[in-house]
Amino acid sequence: MRSSRWRAPTAPSGLTATVGKFGGIVLGWKASTDSGSGVKSYYIYRNAALIGTTTTLSFTDTSGVDGALHTYGVTAVDQVGNESGLSNSVTITYVASSKGGGNKRKR
């Protein structure tokens, strides 16, 4: 019988994606659990490619392609390197970061 230290964490759940206040995509999810060494970090995937890591339950993607549909997923990684299965996926149209000083009025 394998020890629990060899088991991967549970997959993150409840992944959501929203357009950030200043552009980009803000992801949020519910924590994973790991009965062995504990969750160390989360890997963020966009269109099946790893784009970042975080130790928190949110991540802002500021490097997508403006106007393109992107599909995101998150996995958890424990202290010994075991990676969970993928969370639920979400698909959203990427909005580039705002540039400039807000609304401009003609005088």
Side-chain angles (χ1 to χ4, degrees):
M1 182 171 168
R2 291 176 86 173
S3 166
S4 64
R5 68 182 175 176
W6 301 108
R7 292 187 187 142
T10 60
S13 62
L15 179 62
T16 60
T18 57
V19 174
K21 183 176 180 180
F22 299 105
I25 301 298
V26 179
L27 303 171
W29 58 90
K30 294 179 184 168
S32 297
T33 58
D34 184 77
S35 60
S37 63
V39 174
K40 179 180 179 182
S41 61
Y42 295 91
Y43 287 174
I44 315 305
Y45 292 89
R46 180 181 63 221
N47 301 333
L50 180 64
I51 61 164
T53 64
T54 184
T55 58
T56 66
L57 298 177
S58 65
F59 181 86
T60 301
D61 176 17
T62 58
S63 64
V65 176
D66 191 32
L69 277 177
H70 291 310
T71 300
Y72 294 90
V74 177
T75 61
V77 180
D78 66 17
Q79 299 290 335
V80 295
N82 297 318
E83 187 173 3
S84 75
L86 195 64
S87 67
N88 60 294
S89 62
V90 292
T91 300
I92 188 168
T93 301
Y94 189 88
V95 176
S97 297
S98 303
K99 293 185 170 92
N103 294 334
K104 295 183 180 179
R105 294 186 180 159
K106 279 189 172 179
R107 293 185 184 206

